[in-house]
Amino acid sequence: MALAAGSAQAQLVIEPGSDDRINWQSLDEFAAAHPEIEGQSFNILGPWLGGDQELFQSVIAYFNDATGATANYSGSDSFEQQIVIDAEAGSPPDVAVFPQPGLAADLAERGHLRPLGAETAYWLRENYAAGESWEALGTYAGQDGTDELFAFPYKADVKSLVWFVPENFEDAGYEVPTTYEDLKALTEQIAEDGETPWCIGLGSGGATGWPATDWVEDLMLRTASPEDYDRWTTNEMPFNDPVVVNAIEEFGWFAKNPDFVAGGTGGVTSTDFRESPAGLFASPPACYMHRQASFIPTFFPEGTVVGEDADFFYMPAPESGDLGQPVLGGGTMFAVMSDNPAAMAFIEFLKTPFAHEIWMAQQGFVTPHSGANLEAYDDPVVRRMGEILLEATVFRFDGSDLMPGAIGAGAFWTGMIDFVGGAEAQAVADQIQATWSSLN
């Protein structure tokens, strides 16, 4: 197990007050409101290592400098196991950074997390875009069965993206679709032109199939209500309910039509997800669109400039507007696990625009905080992802990550491979539900 400790003496990356994109006043006001934490120290454990650890440490450095408190961060590549071991042993960190809300919910139910209070729940509703969604993401049943806010979302990821090469669209006369109906019409138009609309690759070694689960989750949010989505991820709505079967079949509309996907349906299951976007850059193009999360440029050809050579658009919602502007994504959740007052004050720090803007001004950070200055984004591409979050009326966490591991990282993956390989959606959904029922 790799464990890396952060230094409380990390350098301030931007001279305080020197960058007018950043709300330095919000940091000063926070520090002035919490004189009681001066000289106190607390520990934070999370999953961030490497570059993300350094970036988070840069945020902590300003907290420490402004308050006189000392926050110490340690990152672990086995966070999910370590946090449970530490909690059960009675030696948890003061603050934990959860990459998946399901684990936080489990520890809240066991009595290991401290409630963050109704005031913070209200703050999320009022200050985050789609605030009720974010509040719900951190609200769990406590040890007494009462639902309370136990986790504060900070640092988000966006998955509802479709990648394309602007030059290819321009040469062919295609326009970026603004409704889900337009997206399907464009798919049909590209095929009618004798070209291939989509590159889809589901290969991922032992995790083969997961990209299809993201597709189905995005399509659930475009064919069903957010409430149905929530019921589905908890199995209150069975996996083989007609609503879910319909979303799987909707994915099949794209993935099981050999005219719509590069390499035909066989190519969908045999192509590694890391190699899948390569077709966008072929000459002539092997495909025109690729649905994948914000991380995928890592696997674009070397030298690709995102925003120029390749770009993205929001996977659009239905024209009716009944389902709003749903966004599928992920994020990290901060929870307090001790009675240390400085730990609880750190949650208050995360509410400040500063705590978001100082990371926005560096790299790899998007936020739904409506009070954060968009000008603080150092990268215009990342800023546009942030704007997608701000325009969202509904945000939902990756559904497979909310399901039991045997489903979300097992039967759902393999079921999607079976489905693209020729199985009927209903049969696949029945099998996944049978597996889920066997867990009870």
Side-chain angles (χ1 to χ4, degrees), residues 224-262:
S225 70
E227 293 75 21
D228 281 343
Y229 185 94
D230 296 338
R231 293 171 60 228
W232 169 54
T233 60
T234 61
N235 208 220
E236 182 182 345
M237 172 186 285
F239 212 105
N240 54 355
D241 186 276
V243 170
V244 183
V245 173
N246 177 64
I248 296 172
E249 289 177 336
E250 196 70 9
F251 169 56
W253 187 89
F254 294 93
K256 295 182 76 166
N257 186 329
D259 294 331
F260 288 175
V261 286

mmCIF file of all heavy atoms in Angstrom, residues 224-262:
data_model
loop_
_atom_site.group_PDB
_atom_site.id
_atom_site.type_symbol
_atom_site.label_atom_id
_atom_site.label_comp_id
_atom_site.label_asym_id
_atom_site.label_seq_id
_atom_site.Cartn_x
_atom_site.Cartn_y
_atom_site.Cartn_z
ATOM 1 N N ALA A 224 -35.640 8.955 -18.816
ATOM 2 C CA ALA A 224 -36.381 8.718 -17.581
ATOM 3 C C ALA A 224 -36.094 9.852 -16.603
ATOM 4 O O ALA A 224 -35.164 10.636 -16.795
ATOM 5 C CB ALA A 224 -35.985 7.372 -16.962
ATOM 6 N N SER A 225 -36.867 9.914 -15.552
ATOM 7 C CA SER A 225 -36.727 10.997 -14.578
ATOM 8 C C SER A 225 -35.520 10.766 -13.668
ATOM 9 O O SER A 225 -35.063 9.626 -13.509
ATOM 10 C CB SER A 225 -37.988 11.093 -13.730
ATOM 11 O OG SER A 225 -38.082 9.959 -12.866
ATOM 12 N N PRO A 226 -35.013 11.837 -13.044
ATOM 13 C CA PRO A 226 -33.940 11.657 -12.060
ATOM 14 C C PRO A 226 -34.356 10.737 -10.918
ATOM 15 O O PRO A 226 -33.539 9.993 -10.387
ATOM 16 C CB PRO A 226 -33.680 13.082 -11.559
ATOM 17 C CG PRO A 226 -34.196 13.986 -12.627
ATOM 18 C CD PRO A 226 -35.344 13.266 -13.250
ATOM 19 N N GLU A 227 -35.639 10.792 -10.558
ATOM 20 C CA GLU A 227 -36.142 9.929 -9.489
ATOM 21 C C GLU A 227 -36.065 8.461 -9.886
ATOM 22 O O GLU A 227 -35.722 7.599 -9.077
ATOM 23 C CB GLU A 227 -37.577 10.305 -9.138
ATOM 24 C CG GLU A 227 -37.736 11.676 -8.497
ATOM 25 C CD GLU A 227 -37.588 12.839 -9.475
ATOM 26 O OE1 GLU A 227 -37.761 12.625 -10.706
ATOM 27 O OE2 GLU A 227 -37.302 13.967 -9.022
ATOM 28 N N ASP A 228 -36.377 8.173 -11.157
ATOM 29 C CA ASP A 228 -36.247 6.797 -11.650
ATOM 30 C C ASP A 228 -34.782 6.353 -11.623
ATOM 31 O O ASP A 228 -34.478 5.202 -11.299
ATOM 32 C CB ASP A 228 -36.799 6.679 -13.071
ATOM 33 C CG ASP A 228 -38.315 6.596 -13.102
ATOM 34 O OD1 ASP A 228 -38.919 6.313 -12.050
ATOM 35 O OD2 ASP A 228 -38.901 6.798 -14.187
ATOM 36 N N TYR A 229 -33.888 7.269 -11.990
ATOM 37 C CA TYR A 229 -32.460 6.964 -11.963
ATOM 38 C C TYR A 229 -32.043 6.568 -10.552
ATOM 39 O O TYR A 229 -31.335 5.576 -10.345
ATOM 40 C CB TYR A 229 -31.666 8.183 -12.437
ATOM 41 C CG TYR A 229 -30.171 7.963 -12.560
ATOM 42 C CD1 TYR A 229 -29.602 7.587 -13.782
ATOM 43 C CD2 TYR A 229 -29.311 8.146 -11.471
ATOM 44 C CE1 TYR A 229 -28.230 7.403 -13.907
ATOM 45 C CE2 TYR A 229 -27.949 7.961 -11.585
ATOM 46 C CZ TYR A 229 -27.407 7.586 -12.807
ATOM 47 O OH TYR A 229 -26.048 7.393 -12.929
ATOM 48 N N ASP A 230 -32.490 7.350 -9.562
ATOM 49 C CA ASP A 230 -32.128 7.065 -8.175
ATOM 50 C C ASP A 230 -32.680 5.716 -7.720
ATOM 51 O O ASP A 230 -31.996 4.952 -7.031
ATOM 52 C CB ASP A 230 -32.658 8.170 -7.258
ATOM 53 C CG ASP A 230 -32.020 9.513 -7.537
ATOM 54 O OD1 ASP A 230 -30.914 9.542 -8.109
ATOM 55 O OD2 ASP A 230 -32.636 10.540 -7.194
ATOM 56 N N ARG A 231 -33.909 5.432 -8.102
ATOM 57 C CA ARG A 231 -34.527 4.165 -7.711
ATOM 58 C C ARG A 231 -33.813 2.989 -8.366
ATOM 59 O O ARG A 231 -33.682 1.910 -7.781
ATOM 60 C CB ARG A 231 -36.017 4.180 -8.088
ATOM 61 C CG ARG A 231 -36.840 5.194 -7.289
ATOM 62 C CD ARG A 231 -38.250 5.325 -7.836
ATOM 63 N NE ARG A 231 -38.956 4.056 -7.797
ATOM 64 C CZ ARG A 231 -39.643 3.537 -8.807
ATOM 65 N NH1 ARG A 231 -39.713 4.172 -9.973
ATOM 66 N NH2 ARG A 231 -40.247 2.385 -8.667
ATOM 67 N N TRP A 232 -33.342 3.212 -9.588
ATOM 68 C CA TRP A 232 -32.610 2.163 -10.318
ATOM 69 C C TRP A 232 -31.286 1.838 -9.635
ATOM 70 O O TRP A 232 -30.939 0.668 -9.459
ATOM 71 C CB TRP A 232 -32.382 2.649 -11.755
ATOM 72 C CG TRP A 232 -31.443 1.839 -12.577
ATOM 73 C CD1 TRP A 232 -31.495 0.492 -12.814
ATOM 74 C CD2 TRP A 232 -30.318 2.332 -13.327
ATOM 75 N NE1 TRP A 232 -30.464 0.114 -13.663
ATOM 76 C CE2 TRP A 232 -29.734 1.226 -13.984
ATOM 77 C CE3 TRP A 232 -29.759 3.590 -13.511
ATOM 78 C CZ2 TRP A 232 -28.612 1.355 -14.807
ATOM 79 C CZ3 TRP A 232 -28.651 3.723 -14.328
ATOM 80 C CH2 TRP A 232 -28.085 2.608 -14.966
ATOM 81 N N THR A 233 -30.539 2.878 -9.219
ATOM 82 C CA THR A 233 -29.204 2.629 -8.654
ATOM 83 C C THR A 233 -29.261 1.969 -7.281
ATOM 84 O O THR A 233 -28.258 1.417 -6.826
ATOM 85 C CB THR A 233 -28.388 3.931 -8.554
ATOM 86 O OG1 THR A 233 -29.070 4.865 -7.708
ATOM 87 C CG2 THR A 233 -28.184 4.544 -9.932
ATOM 88 N N THR A 234 -30.432 2.012 -6.617
ATOM 89 C CA THR A 234 -30.579 1.348 -5.317
ATOM 90 C C THR A 234 -31.353 0.037 -5.418
ATOM 91 O O THR A 234 -31.545 -0.648 -4.415
ATOM 92 C CB THR A 234 -31.319 2.264 -4.333
ATOM 93 O OG1 THR A 234 -32.628 2.550 -4.840
ATOM 94 C CG2 THR A 234 -30.549 3.569 -4.120
ATOM 95 N N ASN A 235 -31.831 -0.290 -6.615
ATOM 96 C CA ASN A 235 -32.640 -1.466 -6.903
ATOM 97 C C ASN A 235 -34.052 -1.364 -6.333
ATOM 98 O O ASN A 235 -34.791 -2.341 -6.289
ATOM 99 C CB ASN A 235 -31.984 -2.761 -6.429
ATOM 100 C CG ASN A 235 -32.410 -3.977 -7.253
ATOM 101 O OD1 ASN A 235 -32.639 -5.060 -6.734
ATOM 102 N ND2 ASN A 235 -32.531 -3.790 -8.559
ATOM 103 N N GLU A 236 -34.448 -0.167 -5.897
ATOM 104 C CA GLU A 236 -35.854 0.048 -5.584
ATOM 105 C C GLU A 236 -36.672 -0.145 -6.858
ATOM 106 O O GLU A 236 -37.784 -0.663 -6.820
ATOM 107 C CB GLU A 236 -36.057 1.457 -5.015
ATOM 108 C CG GLU A 236 -37.496 1.749 -4.615
ATOM 109 C CD GLU A 236 -37.680 3.162 -4.110
ATOM 110 O OE1 GLU A 236 -36.679 3.834 -3.799
ATOM 111 O OE2 GLU A 236 -38.843 3.605 -4.053
ATOM 112 N N MET A 237 -36.105 0.295 -7.992
ATOM 113 C CA MET A 237 -36.629 -0.069 -9.304
ATOM 114 C C MET A 237 -35.789 -1.231 -9.808
ATOM 115 O O MET A 237 -34.569 -1.099 -9.963
ATOM 116 C CB MET A 237 -36.535 1.101 -10.294
ATOM 117 C CG MET A 237 -36.900 0.715 -11.732
ATOM 118 S SD MET A 237 -36.632 2.056 -12.910
ATOM 119 C CE MET A 237 -38.028 3.095 -12.499
ATOM 120 N N PRO A 238 -36.380 -2.386 -10.049
ATOM 121 C CA PRO A 238 -35.603 -3.531 -10.505
ATOM 122 C C PRO A 238 -34.847 -3.241 -11.800
ATOM 123 O O PRO A 238 -35.293 -2.430 -12.626
ATOM 124 C CB PRO A 238 -36.662 -4.614 -10.728
ATOM 125 C CG PRO A 238 -37.818 -4.200 -9.892
ATOM 126 C CD PRO A 238 -37.808 -2.705 -9.885
ATOM 127 N N PHE A 239 -33.713 -3.881 -11.964
ATOM 128 C CA PHE A 239 -32.898 -3.671 -13.153
ATOM 129 C C PHE A 239 -33.639 -4.076 -14.421
ATOM 130 O O PHE A 239 -33.349 -3.580 -15.508
ATOM 131 C CB PHE A 239 -31.588 -4.457 -13.031
ATOM 132 C CG PHE A 239 -30.422 -3.792 -13.716
ATOM 133 C CD1 PHE A 239 -29.441 -3.151 -12.980
ATOM 134 C CD2 PHE A 239 -30.314 -3.798 -15.104
ATOM 135 C CE1 PHE A 239 -28.369 -2.526 -13.613
ATOM 136 C CE2 PHE A 239 -29.243 -3.183 -15.740
ATOM 137 C CZ PHE A 239 -28.269 -2.539 -14.992
ATOM 138 N N ASN A 240 -34.605 -4.975 -14.289
ATOM 139 C CA ASN A 240 -35.342 -5.416 -15.482
ATOM 140 C C ASN A 240 -36.676 -4.696 -15.646
ATOM 141 O O ASN A 240 -37.549 -5.144 -16.379
ATOM 142 C CB ASN A 240 -35.555 -6.931 -15.466
ATOM 143 C CG ASN A 240 -36.221 -7.418 -14.189
ATOM 144 O OD1 ASN A 240 -36.451 -6.648 -13.255
ATOM 145 N ND2 ASN A 240 -36.529 -8.719 -14.145
ATOM 146 N N ASP A 241 -36.832 -3.548 -14.975
ATOM 147 C CA ASP A 241 -38.005 -2.714 -15.181
ATOM 148 C C ASP A 241 -38.012 -2.189 -16.622
ATOM 149 O O ASP A 241 -36.942 -1.944 -17.206
ATOM 150 C CB ASP A 241 -37.979 -1.539 -14.203
ATOM 151 C CG ASP A 241 -39.244 -0.699 -14.241
ATOM 152 O OD1 ASP A 241 -39.342 0.193 -15.106
ATOM 153 O OD2 ASP A 241 -40.132 -0.950 -13.403
ATOM 154 N N PRO A 242 -39.187 -1.997 -17.227
ATOM 155 C CA PRO A 242 -39.256 -1.488 -18.603
ATOM 156 C C PRO A 242 -38.506 -0.172 -18.806
ATOM 157 O O PRO A 242 -37.975 0.071 -19.899
ATOM 158 C CB PRO A 242 -40.757 -1.316 -18.836
ATOM 159 C CG PRO A 242 -41.396 -2.336 -17.951
ATOM 160 C CD PRO A 242 -40.526 -2.398 -16.730
ATOM 161 N N VAL A 243 -38.454 0.672 -17.793
ATOM 162 C CA VAL A 243 -37.743 1.947 -17.909
ATOM 163 C C VAL A 243 -36.254 1.712 -18.159
ATOM 164 O O VAL A 243 -35.623 2.376 -18.998
ATOM 165 C CB VAL A 243 -37.951 2.802 -16.638
ATOM 166 C CG1 VAL A 243 -37.021 4.022 -16.632
ATOM 167 C CG2 VAL A 243 -39.396 3.245 -16.534
ATOM 168 N N VAL A 244 -35.679 0.763 -17.434
ATOM 169 C CA VAL A 244 -34.256 0.453 -17.581
ATOM 170 C C VAL A 244 -34.007 -0.284 -18.897
ATOM 171 O O VAL A 244 -33.043 0.018 -19.619
ATOM 172 C CB VAL A 244 -33.748 -0.388 -16.400
ATOM 173 C CG1 VAL A 244 -32.252 -0.655 -16.526
ATOM 174 C CG2 VAL A 244 -34.068 0.300 -15.078
ATOM 175 N N VAL A 245 -34.862 -1.225 -19.215
ATOM 176 C CA VAL A 245 -34.734 -1.964 -20.477
ATOM 177 C C VAL A 245 -34.770 -0.997 -21.657
ATOM 178 O O VAL A 245 -34.006 -1.131 -22.621
ATOM 179 C CB VAL A 245 -35.838 -3.034 -20.606
ATOM 180 C CG1 VAL A 245 -35.812 -3.672 -21.989
ATOM 181 C CG2 VAL A 245 -35.667 -4.098 -19.517
ATOM 182 N N ASN A 246 -35.618 0.021 -21.568
ATOM 183 C CA ASN A 246 -35.708 1.015 -22.632
ATOM 184 C C ASN A 246 -34.387 1.768 -22.805
ATOM 185 O O ASN A 246 -33.949 2.023 -23.938
ATOM 186 C CB ASN A 246 -36.834 2.006 -22.328
ATOM 187 C CG ASN A 246 -36.928 3.111 -23.354
ATOM 188 O OD1 ASN A 246 -37.211 2.864 -24.524
ATOM 189 N ND2 ASN A 246 -36.684 4.340 -22.929
ATOM 190 N N ALA A 247 -33.727 2.131 -21.687
ATOM 191 C CA ALA A 247 -32.449 2.839 -21.782
ATOM 192 C C ALA A 247 -31.370 1.943 -22.387
ATOM 193 O O ALA A 247 -30.528 2.405 -23.168
ATOM 194 C CB ALA A 247 -32.020 3.321 -20.396
ATOM 195 N N ILE A 248 -31.378 0.665 -22.034
ATOM 196 C CA ILE A 248 -30.421 -0.272 -22.638
ATOM 197 C C ILE A 248 -30.664 -0.381 -24.138
ATOM 198 O O ILE A 248 -29.724 -0.362 -24.949
ATOM 199 C CB ILE A 248 -30.519 -1.647 -21.957
ATOM 200 C CG1 ILE A 248 -30.115 -1.551 -20.479
ATOM 201 C CG2 ILE A 248 -29.633 -2.675 -22.674
ATOM 202 C CD1 ILE A 248 -30.369 -2.826 -19.679
ATOM 203 N N GLU A 249 -31.932 -0.482 -24.521
ATOM 204 C CA GLU A 249 -32.258 -0.571 -25.950
ATOM 205 C C GLU A 249 -31.874 0.719 -26.675
ATOM 206 O O GLU A 249 -31.485 0.684 -27.851
ATOM 207 C CB GLU A 249 -33.739 -0.875 -26.118
ATOM 208 C CG GLU A 249 -34.107 -2.305 -25.716
ATOM 209 C CD GLU A 249 -35.588 -2.601 -25.806
ATOM 210 O OE1 GLU A 249 -36.396 -1.632 -25.736
ATOM 211 O OE2 GLU A 249 -35.943 -3.791 -25.916
ATOM 212 N N GLU A 250 -31.979 1.846 -25.978
ATOM 213 C CA GLU A 250 -31.575 3.124 -26.574
ATOM 214 C C GLU A 250 -30.074 3.115 -26.859
ATOM 215 O O GLU A 250 -29.633 3.586 -27.907
ATOM 216 C CB GLU A 250 -31.943 4.268 -25.636
ATOM 217 C CG GLU A 250 -31.934 5.636 -26.273
ATOM 218 C CD GLU A 250 -33.057 5.869 -27.264
ATOM 219 O OE1 GLU A 250 -33.978 5.032 -27.362
ATOM 220 O OE2 GLU A 250 -33.004 6.893 -27.972
ATOM 221 N N PHE A 251 -29.290 2.555 -25.951
ATOM 222 C CA PHE A 251 -27.863 2.389 -26.212
ATOM 223 C C PHE A 251 -27.659 1.483 -27.423
ATOM 224 O O PHE A 251 -26.807 1.743 -28.283
ATOM 225 C CB PHE A 251 -27.169 1.811 -24.982
ATOM 226 C CG PHE A 251 -25.753 1.354 -25.220
ATOM 227 C CD1 PHE A 251 -24.801 2.213 -25.733
ATOM 228 C CD2 PHE A 251 -25.377 0.042 -24.947
ATOM 229 C CE1 PHE A 251 -23.490 1.792 -25.960
ATOM 230 C CE2 PHE A 251 -24.081 -0.388 -25.167
ATOM 231 C CZ PHE A 251 -23.138 0.482 -25.681
ATOM 232 N N GLY A 252 -28.479 0.431 -27.508
ATOM 233 C CA GLY A 252 -28.385 -0.473 -28.650
ATOM 234 C C GLY A 252 -28.671 0.210 -29.972
ATOM 235 O O GLY A 252 -28.135 -0.191 -31.015
ATOM 236 N N TRP A 253 -29.514 1.243 -29.940
ATOM 237 C CA TRP A 253 -29.802 1.998 -31.174
ATOM 238 C C TRP A 253 -28.509 2.544 -31.774
ATOM 239 O O TRP A 253 -28.329 2.545 -32.995
ATOM 240 C CB TRP A 253 -30.768 3.146 -30.858
ATOM 241 C CG TRP A 253 -31.260 3.888 -32.070
ATOM 242 C CD1 TRP A 253 -32.360 3.588 -32.826
ATOM 243 C CD2 TRP A 253 -30.663 5.038 -32.681
ATOM 244 N NE1 TRP A 253 -32.485 4.492 -33.863
ATOM 245 C CE2 TRP A 253 -31.452 5.385 -33.793
ATOM 246 C CE3 TRP A 253 -29.540 5.805 -32.398
ATOM 247 C CZ2 TRP A 253 -31.159 6.472 -34.624
ATOM 248 C CZ3 TRP A 253 -29.232 6.890 -33.223
ATOM 249 C CH2 TRP A 253 -30.040 7.215 -34.310
ATOM 250 N N PHE A 254 -27.599 2.971 -30.918
ATOM 251 C CA PHE A 254 -26.306 3.478 -31.378
ATOM 252 C C PHE A 254 -25.313 2.343 -31.624
ATOM 253 O O PHE A 254 -24.677 2.268 -32.676
ATOM 254 C CB PHE A 254 -25.711 4.433 -30.333
ATOM 255 C CG PHE A 254 -26.470 5.699 -30.124
ATOM 256 C CD1 PHE A 254 -27.435 5.787 -29.129
ATOM 257 C CD2 PHE A 254 -26.220 6.819 -30.905
ATOM 258 C CE1 PHE A 254 -28.134 6.968 -28.913
ATOM 259 C CE2 PHE A 254 -26.910 8.009 -30.705
ATOM 260 C CZ PHE A 254 -27.878 8.082 -29.711
ATOM 261 N N ALA A 255 -25.177 1.450 -30.639
ATOM 262 C CA ALA A 255 -24.056 0.506 -30.624
ATOM 263 C C ALA A 255 -24.292 -0.766 -31.421
ATOM 264 O O ALA A 255 -23.325 -1.436 -31.813
ATOM 265 C CB ALA A 255 -23.708 0.139 -29.181
ATOM 266 N N LYS A 256 -25.559 -1.117 -31.661
ATOM 267 C CA LYS A 256 -25.837 -2.401 -32.327
ATOM 268 C C LYS A 256 -26.201 -2.248 -33.794
ATOM 269 O O LYS A 256 -26.530 -3.230 -34.448
ATOM 270 C CB LYS A 256 -26.956 -3.136 -31.576
ATOM 271 C CG LYS A 256 -26.550 -3.526 -30.160
ATOM 272 C CD LYS A 256 -27.625 -4.283 -29.417
ATOM 273 C CE LYS A 256 -27.735 -5.730 -29.867
ATOM 274 N NZ LYS A 256 -28.539 -6.559 -28.941
ATOM 275 N N ASN A 257 -26.115 -1.039 -34.307
ATOM 276 C CA ASN A 257 -26.325 -0.808 -35.739
ATOM 277 C C ASN A 257 -24.960 -0.780 -36.411
ATOM 278 O O ASN A 257 -24.179 0.141 -36.182
ATOM 279 C CB ASN A 257 -27.062 0.508 -35.964
ATOM 280 C CG ASN A 257 -27.423 0.727 -37.430
ATOM 281 O OD1 ASN A 257 -26.715 0.283 -38.329
ATOM 282 N ND2 ASN A 257 -28.531 1.421 -37.661
ATOM 283 N N PRO A 258 -24.634 -1.770 -37.238
ATOM 284 C CA PRO A 258 -23.288 -1.818 -37.815
ATOM 285 C C PRO A 258 -22.950 -0.617 -38.683
ATOM 286 O O PRO A 258 -21.768 -0.320 -38.908
ATOM 287 C CB PRO A 258 -23.305 -3.115 -38.639
ATOM 288 C CG PRO A 258 -24.749 -3.416 -38.868
ATOM 289 C CD PRO A 258 -25.469 -2.905 -37.665
ATOM 290 N N ASP A 259 -23.985 0.106 -39.146
ATOM 291 C CA ASP A 259 -23.729 1.307 -39.948
ATOM 292 C C ASP A 259 -23.371 2.514 -39.089
ATOM 293 O O ASP A 259 -22.907 3.528 -39.607
ATOM 294 C CB ASP A 259 -24.965 1.657 -40.793
ATOM 295 C CG ASP A 259 -25.275 0.604 -41.848
ATOM 296 O OD1 ASP A 259 -24.317 -0.070 -42.305
ATOM 297 O OD2 ASP A 259 -26.456 0.457 -42.197
ATOM 298 N N PHE A 260 -23.611 2.386 -37.786
ATOM 299 C CA PHE A 260 -23.390 3.532 -36.907
ATOM 300 C C PHE A 260 -22.059 3.500 -36.178
ATOM 301 O O PHE A 260 -21.652 4.510 -35.594
ATOM 302 C CB PHE A 260 -24.506 3.614 -35.848
ATOM 303 C CG PHE A 260 -25.852 4.051 -36.373
ATOM 304 C CD1 PHE A 260 -26.950 4.051 -35.537
ATOM 305 C CD2 PHE A 260 -26.029 4.456 -37.691
ATOM 306 C CE1 PHE A 260 -28.201 4.459 -35.996
ATOM 307 C CE2 PHE A 260 -27.268 4.855 -38.168
ATOM 308 C CZ PHE A 260 -28.367 4.858 -37.310
ATOM 309 N N VAL A 261 -21.371 2.355 -36.150
ATOM 310 C CA VAL A 261 -20.167 2.227 -35.328
ATOM 311 C C VAL A 261 -18.985 1.709 -36.133
ATOM 312 O O VAL A 261 -19.115 0.813 -36.966
ATOM 313 C CB VAL A 261 -20.421 1.291 -34.124
ATOM 314 C CG1 VAL A 261 -21.284 1.991 -33.085
ATOM 315 C CG2 VAL A 261 -21.075 -0.014 -34.552
ATOM 316 N N ALA A 262 -17.827 2.299 -35.861
ATOM 317 C CA ALA A 262 -16.599 1.890 -36.539
ATOM 318 C C ALA A 262 -16.282 0.436 -36.224
ATOM 319 O O ALA A 262 -16.333 0.024 -35.057
ATOM 320 C CB ALA A 262 -15.445 2.780 -36.109
#
